[in-house]
Amino acid sequence: MRHMKFMTLKDEEYSSNLYHFNLMPTGSLEDIIDSSKLNPMQVLDAGDRMCPLLLCPNSNEDNLLDFQDYTVLSSGEPYFLGILESKKDSQKIVELKEIQENCILQGEVLSQSEVESLFRPRFVIPTPPDISEGLGRSRENQDLNKLEKFLIDNMTLMVYREELFEFIQPCWKHLSPRACIVRQRELLDSSGCGDVLTTREYQKLYNMLLSNPQIQQSKELEPPPHTVNLLDGTLNLLTGEVYPHKPEDGFLTYLNVTAYEVCEASYGSTFENFVAQIDSQNLNVRQQLLELVALAMTGYEAKVFYVLLGASNTGKTQFGRFLEELLGREQVVSMAGVHDFSNRFTTSTLEGKMLATCLDLPDSPLPSIAVGVIKQIVGDDPIKVEAKYKNSRTIYRKPLLLFAGNHPLRITNISNEKALLNRMVVIPFSNPVSEREATPQLYKSLLEESAYIVAQAMKAYQDLFQRKFAVTRVPIPEEYASRDAREGAYSIERFISEYCVLGEDRWVTTEDLYSAYLNYAEEQGWPGISKINFSRLLAEKLSNMPNVTVQKRIGEMQKRGYCGIGLSSEI
């Protein structure tokens, strides 16, 4: 025996030992087996293709093989697929003889995966009970079964998330019970039997389709990456290639433009004028808007959410409305307010959506529960959703979040929410226009330029891809910077920034700081806070300044205070 290697394949119903031998051209099985026992602990080299293959059932408990119990089945060629057939139970192996002979004729050796597939348990269809004298004689049931088969043969159907869908170019469309009945009647009327069925029978057909095992789609639909579905085909944003619609692509929506229009779009005056009005000095704001469109229409999860902030009449809500209409209302969930995120059933409305919007942020703190849900949505992990009267489920694809408002986000204990702030992309909207100058229903004018905006978003997506989806960010104006929602937290932060100075030789008592703060708050029109709350919030803010230290006794009066910080001479 020149060389021997071994591995074991295990299966729930049946397992085998797989042996590879390197033989001399004139060698035989008897020549290479110098013992009736083989030790199976040696490792199979999967790359050794030039060796014959022997298959046999698992041996006794000590995992050693007694060749006296098996018969050799082979072609006699030096490199053969040999099967060791059990003399006691030959039925398990004999059916592989034909496969063996075909492989030998073609000069092939089965790969490991091919061998494993031979030993997978075969599903045996059980024999159903005889119903020919009862249900089987029902002409109505037989006719309904024939009609069900007719519908499946003439419609491209699937059951996805317990709902019925039909593929009608350019995408899969949800069939409600009523819509399904309409489609059934369209098909059956053309065959002359639509008027025979009653509404009850149409409903039966709908329920039969829902439970038909041939059209069940258990896996999550995953459209091809970096693509958008258009009226006349699917567009690859990276290559510019357009190919025909295919059911297996799994698109549930499409953009109401053609690839031809996107390729031919040369300029969009409404969009470009809108961008110039927002901020003519910062081209990165234009890039931000296009990246927002690109991420929304592709569904790529960049682990960020967008916030449009600015004064009234700057076009924030109009742009959000344009994006909703571009994607299609069925692909968008609109929140009445940010407090909706505190409702445990809200997350169920996010399933299957591409965009979730809240275009009227209130001037109030974000609820802590809402903050937690937002972090879940923009995070890496799947989220659990729960709908009323239904079992909870886990979703992996999550929509892009888009908020808009006139006020900065206010978050309690904002210093603890670094992860949330890092995922937030603020797009500032400057330069409000008067109501007289504002374009009525601007979103409709933007929709007329959808092809141009999609074409520009395609370029922005290519830039994003090159940057590994590091989104564009711009400096946030001070008036729109996120703030701590606790009373007095923001005013103390501003007070330190504007009326305090840092330095090793500086010191001040807490009492003097509090007195100066009250004067500052009064000048700004802000309500004052108690000395206890001031001291607590001040200590929290100063803890981030390593050169500022707390002193129990400071100054001539030996009062509590701080070293490394003092009051500005302007006070």
Side-chain angles (χ1 to χ4, degrees):
M1 180 171 60
R2 295 182 58 193
H3 188 59
M4 178 184 72
K5 295 178 180 180
F6 168 84
M7 73 172 293
T8 299
L9 303 176
K10 293 185 177 180
D11 198 282
E12 293 180 0
E13 176 179 306
Y14 180 73
S15 60
S16 68
N17 293 332
L18 173 62
Y19 295 87
H20 275 226
F21 296 92
N22 284 340
L23 305 181
M24 297 292 291
T26 58
S28 63
L29 185 64
E30 289 76 12
D31 293 334
I32 66 170
I33 301 175
D34 54 6
S35 168
S36 62
K37 302 287 185 179
L38 288 179
N39 188 337
M41 299 310 293
Q42 293 166 280
V43 181
L44 169 69
D45 182 358
D48 190 358
R49 301 286 294 179
M50 294 301 294
C51 58
L53 185 65
L54 299 179
L55 294 176
C56 67
N58 252 354
S59 59
N60 45 0
E61 293 183 358
D62 59 5
N63 216 11
L64 296 178
L65 177 65
D66 190 341
F67 275 88
Q68 296 177 358
D69 292 336
Y70 298 92
T71 300
V72 179
L73 306 174
S74 70
S75 65
E77 298 297 326
Y79 300 113
F80 60 86
L81 174 65
I83 298 178
L84 299 183
E85 180 183 16
S86 172
K87 295 178 181 178
K88 298 178 180 178
D89 188 6
S90 62
Q91 293 303 317
K92 291 184 178 179
I93 299 297
V94 71
E95 60 189 27
L96 301 179
K97 291 180 181 178
E98 184 178 347
I99 298 174
Q100 168 204 352
E101 292 171 358
N102 290 336
C103 290
I104 293 169
L105 290 175
Q106 297 173 20
E108 297 178 353
V109 178
L110 293 184
S111 67
Q112 176 180 338
S113 60
E114 290 170 327
V115 172
E116 290 177 348
S117 68
L118 298 177
F119 285 90
R120 291 194 184 106
R122 287 177 171 78
F123 177 71
V124 180
I125 301 176
T127 303
D130 183 6
I131 59 172
S132 59
E133 297 300 322
L135 293 175
R137 298 181 64 182
S138 171
R139 180 62 181 270
E140 178 182 347
N141 290 341
Q142 294 176 6
D143 289 345
L144 287 174
N145 287 329
K146 291 177 182 178
L147 288 172
E148 179 190 18
K149 185 178 185 305
F150 172 81
L151 294 174
I152 291 177
D153 290 343
N154 290 276
M155 301 168 68
T156 304
L157 298 171
M158 74 170 176
V159 178
Y160 181 59
R161 295 174 183 159
E162 302 179 0
E163 300 287 345
L164 189 62
F165 289 80
E166 181 184 12
F167 183 78
I168 304 176
Q169 292 192 26
C171 67
W172 288 98
K173 297 183 180 179
H174 175 245
L175 288 182
S176 64
R178 182 179 180 280
C180 184
I181 291 176
V182 172
R183 287 289 293 131
Q184 291 176 38
R185 293 201 63 170
E186 288 175 355
L187 285 173
L188 297 178
D189 282 347
S190 62
S191 304
C193 59
D195 295 335
V196 177
L197 299 182
T198 65
T199 301
R200 171 179 163 274
E201 287 157 343
Y202 279 120
Q203 184 65 45
K204 271 190 176 183
L205 281 173
Y206 171 76
N207 291 331
M208 291 170 69
L209 291 171
L210 277 179
S211 60
N212 191 298
Q214 298 179 28
I215 58 174
Q216 301 297 317
Q217 174 65 32
S218 57
K219 294 182 179 180
E220 284 291 310
L221 294 179
E222 293 284 348
H226 318 306
T227 60
V228 291
N229 204 29
L230 306 178
L231 279 171
D232 56 348
T234 300
L235 172 65
N236 187 307
L237 296 184
L238 298 182
T239 65
E241 177 188 3
V242 181
Y243 59 88
H245 300 116
K246 297 183 292 185
E248 53 268 29
D249 283 346
F251 283 107
L252 297 176
T253 185
Y254 66 96
L255 303 186
N256 193 29
V257 295
T258 66
Y260 176 80
E261 291 170 337
V262 172
C263 294
E264 294 296 316
S266 59
Y267 189 70
S269 58
T270 301
F271 175 75
E272 296 299 347
N273 291 336
F274 172 68
V275 171
Q277 174 257 312
I278 294 173
D279 193 338
S280 59
Q281 304 300 318
N282 194 342
L283 293 178
N284 282 334
V285 171
R286 179 183 186 274
Q287 183 72 9
Q288 283 187 308
L289 291 173
L290 292 173
E291 289 176 3
L292 167 59
V293 174
L295 293 175
M297 68 186 188
T298 59
Y300 185 89
E301 294 185 31
K303 314 303 180 188
V304 295
F305 68 100
Y306 282 84
V307 184
L308 315 181
L309 291 178
S312 299
N313 297 324
T314 51
K316 307 179 303 296
T317 303
Q318 290 295 311
F319 190 80
R321 180 72 184 276
F322 155 74
L323 195 53
E324 291 176 340
E325 298 295 335
L326 176 69
L327 298 180
R329 299 304 305 174
E330 291 184 354
Q331 295 302 314
V332 179
V333 55
S334 299
M335 304 292 180
V338 73
H339 286 76
D340 283 355
F341 286 99
S342 301
N343 187 324
R344 66 190 178 98
F345 297 121
T346 295
T347 53
S348 65
T349 64
L350 304 178
E351 185 175 12
K353 304 299 183 182
M354 300 180 70
L355 182 69
T357 63
C358 178
L359 302 180
D360 189 17
L361 283 175
D363 185 17
S364 60
L366 292 181
S368 57
I369 297 178
V371 171
V373 172
I374 293 172
K375 288 195 292 186
Q376 278 188 307
I377 296 173
V378 299
D380 295 311
D381 298 328
I383 62 173
K384 182 180 178 181
V385 300
E386 182 181 0
K388 287 184 178 180
Y389 315 118
K390 292 185 178 181
N391 294 330
S392 61
R393 54 188 289 125
T394 300
I395 62 173
Y396 296 86
R397 292 181 62 85
K398 295 165 286 186
L400 179 66
L401 296 183
L402 174 62
F403 299 95
N406 302 336
H407 311 282
L409 292 185
R410 293 164 56 189
I411 305 170
T412 303
N413 291 322
I414 194 171
S415 59
N416 298 330
E417 300 296 348
K418 298 297 184 183
L420 179 72
L421 297 178
N422 289 338
R423 296 185 184 277
M424 179 174 67
V425 181
V426 174
I427 303 181
F429 278 61
S430 307
N431 306 321
V433 298
S434 65
E435 293 186 7
R436 180 184 301 176
E437 297 173 334
T439 303
Q441 295 186 316
L442 174 64
Y443 77 93
K444 291 185 177 180
S445 299
L446 291 173
L447 281 172
E448 293 176 0
E449 297 181 358
S450 293
Y452 174 77
I453 297 174
V454 170
Q456 298 303 304
M458 178 177 173
K459 297 178 182 178
Y461 189 85
Q462 293 170 352
D463 292 339
L464 270 176
F465 182 80
Q466 293 296 325
R467 301 197 310 267
K468 297 182 179 180
F469 292 94
V471 297
T472 301
R473 297 178 184 270
V474 300
I476 304 174
E478 176 63 28
E479 63 268 28
Y480 295 116
S482 300
R483 303 175 183 177
D484 196 314
R486 290 173 295 176
E487 184 180 11
Y490 176 70
S491 58
I492 290 176
E493 187 175 323
R494 290 286 301 274
F495 168 71
I496 295 173
S497 174
E498 297 179 16
Y499 287 96
C500 295
V501 291
L502 302 177
E504 294 181 359
D505 59 339
R506 296 281 182 169
W507 61 270
V508 66
T509 65
T510 304
E511 184 176 331
D512 289 344
L513 278 173
Y514 180 60
S515 177
Y517 165 75
L518 289 179
N519 292 333
Y520 170 76
E522 185 178 358
E523 290 175 3
Q524 300 296 323
W526 293 333
I529 59 175
S530 68
K531 188 174 182 180
I532 293 177
N533 287 339
F534 172 81
S535 299
R536 184 177 66 252
L537 292 172
L538 179 68
E540 182 181 307
K541 299 295 182 183
L542 296 181
S543 65
N544 297 321
M545 302 178 183
N547 295 325
V548 178
T549 59
V550 180
Q551 300 293 323
K552 292 184 178 180
R553 298 287 185 269
I554 197 171
E556 297 180 357
M557 302 299 293
Q558 293 294 294
K559 294 183 178 180
R560 185 179 181 87
Y562 293 89
C563 282
I565 189 172
L567 291 171
S568 170
S569 58
E570 297 180 6
I571 296 183

